Amino acid sequence: MSTFYQSVQRNFDRAAALTTMPKGLLSQIRECNSVLQLRFPVKIGRQIKVIEAYRVQHSHHRLPTKGGIRYSSHVTQDEVMALASLMTYKCALVDVPFGGAKGGVKITPWKYTEDQLERITRRYTSELIKKNFIGPGIDVPAPDYGTGGREMAWILDTYNVFKGGDIDSIACVTGKPVHQNGIRGRVEATGRGVYYGLKELLSIEEDVKKIGMEPGMEGKTIVIQGLGNVGRYAGIICRNEGGAKIIAVSEYEGSIYDPKGIDIDKLCKHRSSTGSILGFNGAKNLESREAALELECDILIPAALENQIHKGNAKRIKAKIIAEAANGPVTADAQEILLKKGTIIIPDMYLNAGGVTVSYFEWLKNLSHMRFGRMEKRFDQNVYENLVGFVEKQTGKSANNKEKKFLVKGADEIDLVRSGLEETMVTAYHQFRNVYKRKRNVKDLRTAAFITALEKIGNDYINMGVFP
Ligand code: GLU
């Protein structure tokens, strides 16, 4: 079986072969520019533990580089290189002006106390500072699997200890808690992006009819693997805003099935009080965690780790659409099997780009030192109030309080973040769908997304004058 990085490289090569870009340029785009491999000591109880960690900057064609930091026992250099590469293509695809990067710390986070995790995070950050691998214009980390706002706040604080005089230091990391220079809507961003991407695909009649489905998300059956931040919000938003039915969920401890539909919000509460998704409110416990993936459904959302759908189980997957909310959930071998069956795979580099898109908004907010909406919200509200007043006078009819409140609302930070995210996801989808439709030899959405990203990165290099 090929490694995760080899899988990404294989997908890259397949797309690269369909472009007319020069070989040298393609290899420059393909390779990881800088790989930082770290071993550092941290005092855990009475022992000194040597922690293995990485930061990989895949491409410097745009700066800063950007990408999350993962805490997991599965972290390897291969994995971080794969994830950093995907960040480059993801950012290019959705026009987020960063190069790709990724960090990984090889630990099982729940085996450590909060205090120990803080020590590990601060030491990792100090190492990045020492090697010049972090900074608002250099490399900007964010949350990923096993990390969240808490870790990002520790990173910022550590950075400030060393670089406190830098007026833009708060932009050295994104995904921070809102009260610590974060942005509203960042926590839900990846899940919400999954929703916008899926909604766009499902809205195009010509495409969904081909797989025997009716357009629209309403009533579509969904199976979710992984109830971390991404799976959880994707499930909640697809259900509450899209009207989809989540019929099964798979997690570390097993999977559950309920054809009537599962309320993900309630399921998350059940899991935090009992420690497991099993035994939830009328849902049936399935025999294994893999069983859910193979159920009959419209959409399968793998939102956990890479290599979940592989040569071994691909034949048994019955979903018509696989929505890659995680990074690399479908191996290159599995993809071949699924494409032959006619399954639509919405590629990770597009579908989970919502996180980095809102990170970009957070970075811009930090550099401008001002909340979005602060300048125009009241101005817009006054204009709308005048308009409503004018229409009322002209028509002799008046809007009730609820209607008025809705009509005169000026945009707040959260409204602007969601609108910017939706715009980003919709625009990017049509860009690579056009490549898929127009280019002969492009047989799948991932190749189309890769080609779209490669052309943008290639143009950047050409505009820099690096390649003729
Ligand atoms: N870790 C997320 C990703 O894989 C977010 C990265 C970011 O916000 O920089 O896209």
Side-chain angles (χ1 to χ4, degrees), residues 162-181:
F162 291 86
K163 312 260 182 179
D166 174 358
I167 192 164
D168 290 326
S169 64
I170 52 171
C172 76
V173 60
T174 61
K176 303 177 291 288
V178 174
H179 57 277
Q180 283 175 64
N181 297 295

Side-chain angles (χ1 to χ4, degrees), residues 55 65-70 83 87 90-91 98 101-102 140-145 147 174-175 186 190 327 352-360:
R55 183 76 184 171
T65 50
K66 187 90 189 76
I69 297 173
R70 168 172 295 209
L83 292 164
M87 284 308 301
K90 187 187 304 192
C91 288
F98 300 137
K102 200 75 160 204
V140 181
D144 198 80
Y145 188 86
T147 58
T174 61
R186 175 62 184 83
T190 313
N327 287 306
N352 69 30
V356 75
T357 301
V358 177
S359 273
Y360 169 44

Side-chain angles (χ1 to χ4, degrees), residues 9 13 25 27 53 150 170 215 263 265 333 365:
Q9 301 291 68
D13 292 338
L25 176 52
S27 3
R150 179 184 66 174
I170 52 171
D263 181 333
D265 216 5
D333 290 330
K365 173 188 182 181

